[in-house]
Amino acid sequence: MIRSISDLVVINLRNINIVNYAKYSSSALPRLSSEKYNIKRKNYGAIKPPDIDYFKSLLSNDRVLTEESDVLPFNIDWIKNCRGQSKVVLKPKTTEEVSQILSYCNDRKLAVCPQGGNTGLVGGSVPVFDEIVLNLSSMNKIISLDEISGALVCEAGCVLENLDNYVRDHNLIMPLDLGAKGSCHIGGNVSTNAGGLRLLRYGNLHGSILGIEAVKADGTVIDCLRTLKKDNTGYHLKHLFIGSEGTLGVVTKVAVHCPALSKSVSLGYFGVNSFEDVLELYKSAKESLGEILSAFEMADNEAISSTVENCKLSNPLEDYPFYVLIETSGSDESHDDEKLNRFLTKEMESGKIVDGTITSEPAKMKNIWNIRESIPGAGLLDGYVFKYDISIPLKNYYDIVLLLRKRMGNKVTRVYGYGHIGDGNIHINVSTPEYSKEICDMLEPYVFEEVAKVKGSISAEHGVGFRKPQFIHYSKDGTALQLMRDLKQCMDPNGILNPYKVLPDN
Amino acid sequence: MIRSISDLVVINLRNINIVNYAKYSSSALPRLSSEKYNIKRKNYGAIKPPDIDYFKSLLSNDRVLTEESDVLPFNIDWIKNCRGQSKVVLKPKTTEEVSQILSYCNDRKLAVCPQGGNTGLVGGSVPVFDEIVLNLSSMNKIISLDEISGALVCEAGCVLENLDNYVRDHNLIMPLDLGAKGSCHIGGNVSTNAGGLRLLRYGNLHGSILGIEAVKADGTVIDCLRTLKKDNTGYHLKHLFIGSEGTLGVVTKVAVHCPALSKSVSLGYFGVNSFEDVLELYKSAKESLGEILSAFEMADNEAISSTVENCKLSNPLEDYPFYVLIETSGSDESHDDEKLNRFLTKEMESGKIVDGTITSEPAKMKNIWNIRESIPGAGLLDGYVFKYDISIPLKNYYDIVLLLRKRMGNKVTRVYGYGHIGDGNIHINVSTPEYSKEICDMLEPYVFEEVAKVKGSISAEHGVGFRKPQFIHYSKDGTALQLMRDLKQCMDPNGILNPYKVLPDN
């Protein structure tokens, strides 16, 4: 049965700052990361009063935070898993300031934690010990937009959603979209090679980023901020900073290729009876919708029902084992409608779509997307969430959820899976009343071992950060790890940039 | 007037091996690169009989070429510009053999020139002095193809056209296409970040390459041969080997994401009166054709008329100042036809399209593409061609051709421009009866200075190779060049991989 969703009443969480939302959902502070994970401080310099004086002379006083209560929010990640012990937060406004800060820290061997919107899920954006937090939020200027080529140039601290709103006014869109869009920074997106909801259509950031300006650990500014689509003059240095999570340099400016805003966008939200049918629908959608398919997302019943329950949303569909969300974006509404209706008719007749709704009204689409985008945060309202973000061959895509449900039994509140079928990327959430070492040990490295068995990735889009260096070998072999270490040594010989992250100890 | 092209008679050069075609079009050998460009040999080891014995023990005798006449073709690039002095060509069949060869050469400080299909245009794939030619043509096996995800895994020596034919049988296409497809290797494509005709639609290789296996100078095999679309586990090492032209490692295997083969493909070939109209047509095509636009190419009258004349082809259109070639690829023929016809009707009425033909018959499309793809080779039949491959903002796109015509006057045979409007990439050819230092000095660095004035790239897709290191500073600043040197030092401390290429002398 295809129905209108006019009766859909949902609380629009989209514009709520997801970081604050999570941070204040519990009054208890997380344990210190160093104690929780038994980490030893490395031999970096300790910050002393003359250092603070230097930073204050460089920045204005209000951009050097040292009060404990001011610094605390910058020490905690938004899933309340990690807590660092930084004593100072610096908020540079220019690349030159970033360069001078890093040059000084490098000379004094002071460790630095670069921080964007702090929406990461692996503890990469908060300090572990007393690293200086280098927060980029004051570098938030849009520099230029070329409407014909689609090249947007901006500072690293621009919030993704602000950029998307800006380029939409010029008939363009950002090539990436993710649930944290209201808080995350483009610099953090680039540094973590963020994926998200549009990757199926517009590819990953290695393809979309035209240029980068970054500052190396010693303060050297690397200016690769070109806006050209094609430039084969020497090594493609910008890719060193995409996905290296602030350990090789601090991204200060980016040039992004923005695709044209589609004239016609539609959304379908369907109830499906089995994961096999979800897969068949994906094949069928690629066939029928071709070049207008812009998202193909799935969520299991537990993911949707817990989100609807925790966030007090309303689900326009009844209970089904699986839900599929399909977005189309094209240049001709009548053509796109014809393709989507043809797909729908075919798959309702085949029985793979049991129930569903399609809409191209912006408010209704926003409400449906809101359910999907609320899933990552909703689990926090159960107390604590163990999150796994894995790439896996499609035929094995959902197996791990079933394995985990069996393994964890009633020791946990829920186990559920959702994600980007088109990219082979599933997110698995295991929610519990609170963090438990026993549960953690039952999950890890078990999940990673299962992923390694099918040559998957133990971190499809969230990165390695603080939480996964000890598991990286499940997806990277020894020679690749050695090359990573060589590059780190080459570009940051004192190891001041984002220590305790990404690279495993020898 | 829109006409059928049934009367089009063209010689199909597409399946002629472009390398041989060029190589034997003149009997004169090019001068030695070292003399022509006044280069000094660096302090590498010299190959001695025990080295040859070692290589013969490692490979079979027939995969170690040492006869002068056997080695000669591997010393000369296909535009007859460069000639090296190598005494030995090695043809490994496995990654293990490549590893052993490099390990040995690294210990003995023997310089190595990795070579794919040898279709490069900047002398990057032939030796300068006595570097060992490491030719990958015997590593030409297709390893696997996942039809659902589109992941193709193959060895580096596979010829691009063979791969395209193979995946087409599985309803997929390669994400890149270029005139040299019949000879170029996928490993060379990756090492040079080849662009070509499909970049507008499918993006560059940094986005399409899923995984790479490469061998470092010391013989270490770096296995990043994953087939996952998303994998954020640590540094994205594969990008170090994309576009570094064999100076950081030898690519031995690749995993490529192949897009779905479009069910409907059409080609339009139009005569246009001015470059301003070409630009207006591009904007209009993006608007009207949207997501089905897969190529937008332009060529000026001189480019087409010289190609038609030199290659004895037939032009289905009469003489016009500019020609535009538009390809659409989509999933629904009737929708695509409607979009293309709407565009055509509009732009014939506007007068921007003066004459033209559209077709979706494969043989006719092949004939039209053949004219476009013959342009790069056709100039060689004038004798010698100075080739420039630049990225430039669209508003300045064609200026440089006019400037050069004025500057060169009747000192040269022809000056013409053609290229990929959608990517801001124009190819400029200056043909002369033979190579002339005087002409070269009039062209260089003049062309690069003009490009630098508008912040363009002096090498959009051809790379730096042997011919452009001394000009790289027009597109890369000093700190970026230093980082390139640091990476080279880190990954190839003895500098044995493709010396005299890419990196300028200090």
Side-chain angles (χ1 to χ4, degrees):
Chain A
M1 179 190 70
I2 298 300
R3 330 174 270 193
S4 139
I5 56 157
S6 57
D7 58 343
L8 175 64
V9 181
V10 294
I11 298 164
N12 174 18
L13 280 176
R14 186 157 176 170
N15 293 318
I16 294 178
N17 182 312
I18 202 166
V19 174
N20 289 334
Y21 171 66
K23 197 171 288 162
Y24 302 114
S25 62
S26 162
S27 59
L29 286 178
R31 283 177 65 198
L32 290 176
S33 300
S34 57
E35 292 172 3
K36 187 166 165 184
Y37 297 103
N38 193 24
I39 308 287
K40 298 270 170 282
R41 186 179 183 283
K42 291 184 178 168
N43 189 27
Y44 295 105
I47 293 170
K48 292 177 181 163
D51 301 322
I52 301 295
D53 293 342
Y54 172 77
F55 295 132
K56 285 186 174 171
S57 76
L58 190 64
L59 315 176
S60 51
N61 279 10
D62 61 324
R63 293 191 285 125
V64 180
L65 312 184
T66 54
E67 286 293 326
E68 196 179 331
S69 59
D70 292 341
V71 173
L72 184 66
F74 299 86
N75 267 318
I76 302 173
D77 66 343
W78 79 270
I79 56 170
K80 302 182 298 174
N81 183 59
C82 294
R83 177 152 69 101
Q85 304 163 56
S86 184
K87 306 285 184 241
V88 57
V89 176
L90 304 180
K91 293 188 161 188
K93 274 190 174 170
T94 65
T95 302
E96 182 55 27
E97 286 176 355
V98 174
S99 167
Q100 288 177 288
I101 291 165
L102 291 182
S103 171
Y104 181 89
C105 291
N106 192 50
D107 289 346
R108 287 263 298 107
K109 293 204 181 178
L110 296 171
V112 174
C113 175
Q115 187 179 74
N118 194 11
T119 62
L121 292 161
V122 287
S125 57
V126 288
V128 179
F129 290 94
D130 56 346
E131 300 92 274
I132 293 167
V133 175
L134 186 68
N135 183 286
L136 278 285
S137 57
S138 299
M139 288 186 70
N140 58 359
K141 284 196 288 293
I142 291 171
I143 298 167
S144 67
L145 176 65
D146 180 331
E147 293 187 38
I148 298 177
S149 73
L152 170 75
V153 183
C154 66
E155 291 182 331
C158 289
V159 170
L160 178 59
E161 190 166 46
N162 295 348
L163 294 176
D164 200 49
N165 290 338
Y166 178 79
V167 301
R168 275 175 191 270
D169 290 340
H170 299 83
N171 287 315
L172 299 165
I173 56 165
M174 293 298 285
L176 77 164
D177 185 23
L178 48 155
K181 63 167 84 67
S183 303
C184 65
H185 294 182
I186 187 69
N189 297 151
V190 168
S191 298
T192 58
N193 188 33
L197 306 164
R198 289 182 194 149
L199 194 134
L200 175 67
R201 176 70 166 269
Y202 301 113
N204 68 49
L205 289 178
H206 286 284
S208 301
I209 294 296
L210 300 170
I212 283 179
E213 178 195 76
V215 184
K216 275 176 56 197
D218 65 2
T220 307
V221 179
I222 304 293
D223 179 2
C224 298
L225 196 64
R226 299 273 160 159
T227 57
L228 307 165
K229 271 196 186 173
K230 292 164 87 170
D231 179 16
N232 276 351
T233 50
Y235 300 168
H236 295 219
L237 301 171
K238 65 188 178 197
H239 299 281
L240 284 165
F241 305 103
I242 302 176
S244 55
E245 304 183 41
T247 63
L248 296 181
V250 177
V251 173
T252 46
K253 296 194 185 93
V254 300
V256 193
H257 177 250
C258 299
L261 179 67
S262 293
K263 286 178 225 161
S264 144
V265 177
S266 294
L267 203 60
Y269 178 53
F270 308 117
V272 181
N273 270 335
S274 69
F275 182 71
E276 289 64 37
D277 284 353
V278 173
L279 269 194
E280 290 296 320
L281 279 180
Y282 174 55
K283 281 191 237 174
S284 169
K286 286 210 296 181
E287 172 87 10
S288 299
L289 302 172
E291 64 280 358
I292 66 166
L293 182 64
S294 55
F296 192 107
E297 301 280 310
M298 67 77 70
D300 63 18
N301 183 286
E302 281 279 50
I304 295 292
S305 62
S306 67
T307 300
V308 165
E309 185 184 322
N310 282 351
C311 298
K312 301 187 180 15
L313 303 176
S314 163
N315 187 359
L317 300 182
E318 288 170 22
D319 258 10
Y320 292 99
F322 292 90
Y323 297 89
V324 161
L325 194 157
I326 292 177
E327 188 192 71
T328 61
S329 310
S331 60
D332 185 307
E333 193 173 339
S334 68
H335 290 171
D336 299 354
D337 284 352
E338 196 180 317
K339 288 184 177 100
L340 191 54
N341 283 321
R342 192 166 54 196
F343 165 74
L344 202 62
T345 307
K346 180 180 164 203
E347 296 308 345
M348 290 192 66
E349 278 172 12
S350 77
K352 290 185 199 92
I353 292 176
V354 191
D355 189 6
T357 173
I358 51 172
T359 180
S360 48
E361 285 183 40
K364 291 179 180 172
M365 291 197 291
K366 199 167 174 177
N367 285 342
I368 296 176
W369 270 123
N370 185 44
I371 298 175
R372 166 64 186 86
E373 292 181 356
S374 297
I375 302 175
L380 289 173
L381 300 173
D382 284 347
Y384 185 82
V385 188
F386 294 90
K387 285 175 167 285
Y388 302 97
D389 157 44
I390 61 186
S391 275
I392 219 155
L394 283 182
K395 66 177 190 291
N396 311 102
Y397 187 87
Y398 195 68
D399 296 354
I400 186 83
V401 176
L402 303 175
L403 285 171
L404 282 177
R405 280 194 188 136
K406 197 169 167 198
R407 181 177 176 88
M408 305 313 290
N410 57 11
K411 288 194 176 68
V412 298
T413 312
R414 318 178 209 251
V415 176
Y416 50 96
Y418 59 98
H420 323 290
I421 286 270
D423 311 318
N425 176 200
I426 186 168
H427 298 288
I428 295 159
N429 283 9
V430 181
S431 71
T432 53
E434 59 187 3
Y435 176 84
S436 147
K437 176 102 179 33
E438 183 203 345
I439 298 291
C440 187
D441 290 345
M442 282 184 74
L443 289 165
E444 303 171 17
Y446 174 78
V447 171
F448 308 125
E449 285 166 354
E450 290 298 316
V451 172
K453 278 183 195 167
V454 290
K455 296 202 171 182
S457 168
I458 64 148
S459 186
E461 55 181 11
H462 293 168
V464 176
F466 170 67
R467 286 285 290 112
K468 294 189 184 167
Q470 72 272 37
F471 304 118
I472 195 173
H473 64 276
Y474 287 105
S475 288
K476 275 267 191 305
D477 73 5
T479 56
L481 284 173
Q482 187 53 50
L483 180 52
M484 283 175 56
R485 289 190 184 100
D486 292 345
L487 292 170
K488 176 73 174 174
Q489 178 64 28
C490 171
M491 292 179 67
D492 177 18
N494 292 337
I496 64 163
L497 284 177
N498 226 3
Y500 319 104
K501 319 278 175 67
V502 186
L503 297 142
D505 286 327
N506 276 318
Chain B
M1 181 189 68
I2 297 301
R3 334 173 267 195
S4 139
I5 55 157
S6 56
D7 57 341
L8 175 64
V9 182
V10 294
I11 299 163
N12 174 19
L13 281 175
R14 186 156 177 168
N15 293 317
I16 295 178
N17 183 310
I18 201 167
V19 175
N20 289 336
Y21 171 64
K23 197 172 287 162
Y24 300 115
S25 63
S26 162
S27 59
L29 285 178
R31 284 177 65 195
L32 289 176
S33 301
S34 57
E35 292 173 3
K36 188 167 165 181
Y37 295 103
N38 192 24
I39 309 287
K40 297 269 169 281
R41 187 180 183 280
K42 290 183 179 169
N43 189 26
Y44 295 106
I47 294 169
K48 294 178 180 159
D51 301 323
I52 301 296
D53 293 342
Y54 172 77
F55 294 134
K56 286 187 175 170
S57 77
L58 189 65
L59 315 177
S60 51
N61 279 10
D62 61 324
R63 294 193 283 123
V64 180
L65 312 186
T66 53
E67 287 293 325
E68 198 179 330
S69 58
D70 291 343
V71 174
L72 183 65
F74 299 87
N75 268 319
I76 303 175
D77 67 342
W78 78 271
I79 55 167
K80 302 183 298 175
N81 183 58
C82 295
R83 178 152 68 101
Q85 303 163 57
S86 184
K87 306 284 185 241
V88 58
V89 176
L90 304 180
K91 292 188 160 189
K93 273 190 173 168
T94 65
T95 302
E96 183 55 29
E97 287 176 354
V98 173
S99 168
Q100 289 176 286
I101 290 166
L102 290 183
S103 172
Y104 180 87
C105 291
N106 192 49
D107 289 346
R108 287 264 296 108
K109 295 205 181 175
L110 296 171
V112 175
C113 174
Q115 187 179 74
N118 194 11
T119 62
L121 291 161
V122 288
S125 57
V126 287
V128 179
F129 290 95
D130 56 345
E131 301 93 272
I132 292 166
V133 175
L134 187 69
N135 183 287
L136 278 286
S137 56
S138 299
M139 291 188 67
N140 59 0
K141 284 196 287 292
I142 291 170
I143 296 166
S144 67
L145 176 65
D146 181 329
E147 293 186 40
I148 297 177
S149 73
L152 170 75
V153 183
C154 67
E155 292 181 330
C158 290
V159 171
L160 178 59
E161 190 166 46
N162 295 346
L163 295 175
D164 200 50
N165 290 337
Y166 178 81
V167 301
R168 273 174 192 269
D169 290 342
H170 299 84
N171 287 316
L172 300 165
I173 57 164
M174 293 297 285
L176 76 163
D177 184 22
L178 48 154
K181 64 165 84 67
S183 304
C184 65
H185 293 181
I186 188 70
N189 297 150
V190 168
S191 299
T192 58
N193 188 33
L197 307 165
R198 286 181 196 149
L199 194 134
L200 176 69
R201 177 68 167 270
Y202 301 113
N204 68 49
L205 288 177
H206 286 284
S208 301
I209 294 296
L210 301 169
I212 283 179
E213 177 194 76
V215 184
K216 274 176 58 198
D218 66 1
T220 306
V221 178
I222 305 293
D223 179 3
C224 297
L225 197 65
R226 298 274 160 158
T227 58
L228 308 165
K229 271 195 188 173
K230 291 164 88 169
D231 178 18
N232 276 351
T233 50
Y235 301 166
H236 295 220
L237 301 172
K238 65 188 177 197
H239 299 281
L240 285 166
F241 305 104
I242 301 176
S244 54
E245 305 182 41
T247 63
L248 296 180
V250 176
V251 173
T252 46
K253 295 193 185 93
V254 301
V256 192
H257 176 251
C258 299
L261 179 66
S262 293
K263 285 180 225 157
S264 143
V265 178
S266 294
L267 202 59
Y269 178 53
F270 308 117
V272 181
N273 271 336
S274 70
F275 182 70
E276 289 64 38
D277 283 353
V278 172
L279 269 193
E280 288 297 319
L281 280 178
Y282 174 55
K283 281 191 235 172
S284 170
K286 285 210 297 183
E287 172 87 10
S288 299
L289 302 173
E291 65 280 358
I292 65 166
L293 183 63
S294 55
F296 192 106
E297 300 281 309
M298 68 76 72
D300 63 17
N301 182 286
E302 281 279 51
I304 295 294
S305 61
S306 66
T307 300
V308 164
E309 184 185 322
N310 282 351
C311 299
K312 302 190 180 13
L313 303 177
S314 164
N315 188 359
L317 299 182
E318 289 169 22
D319 258 11
Y320 290 99
F322 292 91
Y323 297 89
V324 160
L325 194 157
I326 291 176
E327 189 192 70
T328 63
S329 311
S331 61
D332 185 305
E333 193 174 339
S334 67
H335 292 169
D336 300 354
D337 284 352
E338 197 181 317
K339 288 185 178 97
L340 193 52
N341 282 322
R342 193 165 52 196
F343 165 74
L344 202 61
T345 306
K346 182 180 163 204
E347 296 308 344
M348 289 191 68
E349 278 172 12
S350 77
K352 291 187 198 90
I353 291 177
V354 191
D355 189 7
T357 174
I358 52 171
T359 181
S360 50
E361 285 183 41
K364 291 178 181 174
M365 292 196 291
K366 199 167 174 177
N367 285 343
I368 295 177
W369 269 123
N370 185 44
I371 298 176
R372 166 64 185 87
E373 293 181 355
S374 298
I375 302 175
L380 290 171
L381 299 174
D382 284 346
Y384 185 82
V385 188
F386 294 90
K387 287 174 165 284
Y388 302 97
D389 158 46
I390 61 186
S391 275
I392 219 154
L394 283 183
K395 66 176 188 290
N396 310 103
Y397 189 86
Y398 195 67
D399 296 353
I400 186 85
V401 176
L402 302 176
L403 285 172
L404 282 177
R405 279 195 188 137
K406 197 170 165 195
R407 182 179 176 86
M408 305 312 289
N410 56 11
K411 288 195 174 70
V412 298
T413 311
R414 316 176 210 254
V415 177
Y416 49 95
Y418 59 97
H420 322 290
I421 287 270
D423 311 319
N425 176 199
I426 186 168
H427 298 290
I428 293 159
N429 284 9
V430 180
S431 71
T432 52
E434 60 188 2
Y435 175 83
S436 147
K437 176 102 177 29
E438 183 203 344
I439 299 291
C440 186
D441 289 346
M442 282 183 74
L443 290 165
E444 300 171 17
Y446 174 78
V447 171
F448 307 126
E449 285 166 353
E450 290 299 317
V451 171
K453 278 183 195 167
V454 290
K455 295 200 170 183
S457 168
I458 64 149
S459 186
E461 56 181 11
H462 294 168
V464 176
F466 169 67
R467 287 284 289 112
K468 294 190 186 166
Q470 74 271 37
F471 304 118
I472 194 172
H473 64 276
Y474 287 106
S475 288
K476 276 266 192 304
D477 74 5
T479 56
L481 284 173
Q482 187 54 50
L483 180 52
M484 283 175 57
R485 289 192 183 97
D486 292 347
L487 292 170
K488 176 71 175 175
Q489 178 65 28
C490 172
M491 293 179 67
D492 177 18
N494 292 337
I496 64 162
L497 283 177
N498 225 5
Y500 319 104
K501 317 279 174 70
V502 185
L503 298 141
D505 286 327
N506 275 318

